[in-house]
Amino acid sequence: MQVYAIPTGGGEATPLTSAEGGVGDYAWSPDGKNIAFLARAAGSKTDGPHPVDREQDLERVWILDVVAKKARQVTTAPYAIHELTWPIAGRLVVVANAHPRAESWDDGIFSVGIADGRFVEVARPAPPFSDIVPSPSGAQLAFVGTAASGPMPHDLFLTPSAGGPARNVSRALDRPVLSARWQGERAVVLRASDGFRNALYRLEAPAFTPALVDLPLSARTIDVARDGTIAFVGVAFNRLPELFLKPKAGPVRQMGRLQEEAWKDVALVDAEIFRVASFDGATVEAALLKPSSSPGARKQPLVLLVHGGPNSNFSSDYFWFNAWAQLLVARGYQVLLVNPRGSTGYGEAFVKANRGDWGGGDYKDLIAVLDHVLARGEVDPARLGIGGWSYGAEMTAWAIGHTTRFAAAVAGAGVFDQAAEFGTENGPAGDEWHFGTPWNNPDVFAKNSPSSSIKNAKTPTLIVHGEADRNNPIGQSQALYRALKHLGVETELVTYPGEPHGPQKAKNQRDIMERMLAWFDAHLG
């Protein structure tokens, strides 16, 4: 991956960098004449033996002269740098870890001199945190962090660029902040997950009281112009992404209609959003999508899809995994999407409610919502399927070890054995927050692993996985496949060379969706 430039009026993209091993993050200088970027030092790439945790494999900061197309390395210190921004001339701000071998949440915010590459610590927020955004003057930094220790960045904090205490300005909102942009020097517009919808809120000094920005759709991404106008991409289950503008005063205006012509003959289904009291009285939100045509007297099949994460959620959007739901509905299935405990969009306590208990309360939430839908009498209980990606696949593997009510399952890039995954995954700090370490808490890891109950499985299961997956290494799906084969359960494993945790190639995305549809068709009718 390299940095390219393209004229704003249109034209061909031209590469600006040719970094060995590719470019990580990058940022324009305030005057637009230079670009800072992250890349390995020249000569670090080798084809021979590769010792792990080499200092030479860490990305350094480089400065590129955009006109001359010449880059120079700025930093040499052995920090693992995850983000960078360029708030004022002469200094960068980075998120970095001075002890990268530890693989723990130990990041800090540092100022880095352009001339000497020296790191100066600005702040050390409670981990994890991310998404540093400087104010227009560069005097303040906004970032998304946690008020109460993990498992994910949740609240918006402001801190002086020169150093000083950070202030939590979104605590009263109690919704996970997905991104933020400054609206002048005194106000911030943030995008937060609120159930199935991503909403915008404006917070202004000194009180920073959240004020909802009224939008007709869920906001996938945002930016703010110098005059305060908000640009956002609006989406819904049945609305493909389009660009909109929201002036500081005045109604929302759509900018063009990018999707209409290409999708004029394709009907997407909206969802019914509802809430159910779970086994312990906790409120769980879900979405149900139904085929537009009437099934007549015959009850319909249903597929329960489980989102990834677990600290994530289903949202009112249309993308690769949400396309599974629309494809299944078009095929005649009802599709149930549940945000169980551990999901984002319902407050920090709800996010933490499945700590060390994957397959406990969260699984019971899924089943409680499924039973609620079955009680309506529209679904054939003999034709139920379950499927998901990542944590969704892990919950799929968990489900088939705990019930035989599902007639088919599809598991993509999931986890089968938590202890084995901890030892081989890229970035284990999140799992350590949930479970500790397997050498200290072996019983916790076993309790949270589908492998512990897979001997009970009877459900025909399709397994798909990218061979280059470092989040959930492919051995997890291979182990699930081996277990099901030994148990005599109908199963197939399909792997995709070169694909990471989320498949990138269109042909492979399509192949996975076609196999998913065929598997459910074959077993649910």
Side-chain angles (χ1 to χ4, degrees), residues 172-229:
L173 185 63
D174 194 25
R175 288 293 182 268
V177 177
L178 304 174
S179 60
R181 294 291 184 270
W182 290 87
Q183 195 176 45
E185 197 68 26
R186 292 174 52 81
V188 181
V189 176
L190 59 84
R191 184 174 64 97
S193 175
D194 188 11
F196 280 86
R197 186 182 178 92
N198 296 333
L200 300 189
Y201 296 86
R202 186 176 185 272
L203 290 71
E204 185 171 5
F208 292 103
T209 303
L212 180 67
V213 179
D214 188 26
L215 301 180
L217 298 166
S218 182
R220 179 187 283 187
T221 186
I222 65 168
D223 205 353
V224 178
R226 291 186 180 92
D227 67 358
T229 299

Side-chain angles (χ1 to χ4, degrees), residues 88-153:
I88 58 174
R91 301 204 71 80
L92 300 167
V93 171
V94 304
V95 176
N97 189 328
H99 309 286
R101 287 176 60 92
E103 297 184 308
S104 61
W105 283 336
D106 191 27
D107 290 351
I109 301 174
F110 297 85
S111 172
V112 177
I114 300 297
D116 58 10
R118 190 166 69 94
F119 285 73
V120 177
E121 185 171 305
V122 173
R124 188 167 289 275
F129 67 93
S130 62
D131 299 313
I132 305 293
V133 184
S135 66
S137 70
Q140 299 183 80
L141 301 173
F143 66 90
V144 186
T146 175
S149 177
M152 55 172 289

Side-chain angles (χ1 to χ4, degrees), residues 34-52:
N34 297 278
I35 291 175
F37 65 91
L38 300 179
R40 294 180 183 179
S44 62
K45 188 177 180 180
T46 62
D47 295 327
H50 190 170
V52 174

